[in-house]
């Protein structure tokens, strides 16, 4: 019984992300989300207390998954080289950016619509994810101040998270190669 409920929640979150990305949080009703997954709008209240809770869970979930992935990739890559850890972090984030452009757009546009407590938790998870990158970069550039490494990480995220606007004309593999090359070039200049 837990699997169908979890699958339904995931289906609802994915449909809501697509709708919020296309029309904005305030341009989408509970009924719109329900229709997108083949149920009535009120049926969604079995899974979420409302639209704000749905948005909060959506952004908390992806923030937690990225943080967990970052920690895992940074520590399970070849222990003898920070280069391997950086490659793993880049590959993981690029894959996320290419497969979840709607979540990127929703985060960019709608974070202010998340209730304050959840928004703080999202920001905390994001800071932890950034610090995984900063730790790896500090091994590659030990003389570089952490504030500069942090700023560079955010700049690279801006590049990688441009996929909602930039990825349409290239095949995913070509876009992944381009993003990796550009990010590597940017991070080599620290």
């Amino acid at each position: 019984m837990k699997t169908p409920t979890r699958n339904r929640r995931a289906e609802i979150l994915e449909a809501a992300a697509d709708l919020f990305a296309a029309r904005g949080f305030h341009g989408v009703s509970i009924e719109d989300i329900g229709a997108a997954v083949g149920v009535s709008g009120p049926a969604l209240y079995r899974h979420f207390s409302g639209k704000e809770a749905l948005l909060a869970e959506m952004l908390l979930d992806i923030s937690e998954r990225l943080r967990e992935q970052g920690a895992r990739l940074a520590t399970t890559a070849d222990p003898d080289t920070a280069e391997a850890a950086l490659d793993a972090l880049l590959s993981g984030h690029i894959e996320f950016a290419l497969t979840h452009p709607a979540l990127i757009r929703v985060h960019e546009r709608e974070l202010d619509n998340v209730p304050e407590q959840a928004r703080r938790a999202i920001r905390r998870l994001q800071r932890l994810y950034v610090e995984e990158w900063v730790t790896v970069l500090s091994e590659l550039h030990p003389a570089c101040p952490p504030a500069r490494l942090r700023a560079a990480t955010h700049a690279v995220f801006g590049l990688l998270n441009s996929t909602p606007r930039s990825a349409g004309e290239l095949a995913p593999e070509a876009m992944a190669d381009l993003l990796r090359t550009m990010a590597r070039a940017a991070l080599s200049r620290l």
Side-chain angles (χ1 to χ4, degrees):
M1 185 88 174
K2 286 185 180 185
T3 301
T5 301
R6 175 65 192 139
N7 289 343
R8 175 56 95 180
R9 285 178 77 81
E11 181 184 6
I12 293 165
L13 289 168
E14 185 176 334
D18 291 340
L19 288 168
F20 292 161
R23 299 184 353 217
F25 179 76
H26 294 295
V28 176
S29 68
I30 283 289
E31 290 76 17
D32 295 331
I33 299 167
V37 295
V39 300
S40 70
L44 295 182
Y45 292 112
R46 298 177 81 207
H47 302 279
F48 301 96
S49 62
K51 232 172 47 163
E52 291 82 5
L54 194 154
L55 177 63
E57 183 170 326
M58 177 189 305
L59 296 180
L60 277 165
D61 176 65
I62 193 56
S63 297
E64 179 63 31
R65 284 190 288 148
L66 282 170
R67 187 205 58 80
E68 286 176 1
Q69 173 183 283
R72 182 176 39 77
L73 292 174
T75 58
T76 60
D78 182 350
D80 296 328
T81 173
E83 290 288 339
L86 180 58
D87 283 339
L89 287 170
L90 281 167
S91 293
H93 198 97
I94 289 168
E95 195 235 329
F96 157 72
L98 290 173
T99 57
H100 299 291
L103 286 173
I104 292 169
R105 193 171 295 254
V106 170
H107 180 272
E108 288 173 349
R109 293 181 180 170
E110 308 299 344
L111 185 60
D112 287 341
N113 289 309
V114 173
E116 181 63 30
Q117 184 175 358
R119 190 168 51 244
R120 281 195 309 270
I122 291 164
R123 290 290 193 207
R124 182 178 138 311
L125 290 166
Q126 291 170 338
R127 283 191 299 275
L128 292 170
Y129 180 56
V130 167
E131 290 308 310
E132 295 295 342
W133 286 68
V134 170
T135 298
V136 169
L137 289 172
S138 69
E139 292 177 35
L140 294 169
H141 306 281
C144 191
R148 185 174 173 91
L149 297 173
R150 206 167 285 109
T153 299
H154 283 287
V156 166
F157 287 173
L159 168 70
L160 301 179
N161 291 344
S162 70
T163 55
R165 295 165 296 284
S166 64
E169 294 186 37
L170 295 177
E173 302 81 25
M175 191 65 192
D177 288 342
L178 178 62
L179 290 170
R180 183 174 290 100
T181 299
M182 293 178 74
R184 271 295 197 170
L187 294 172
S188 71
R189 303 292 185 175
L190 294 170

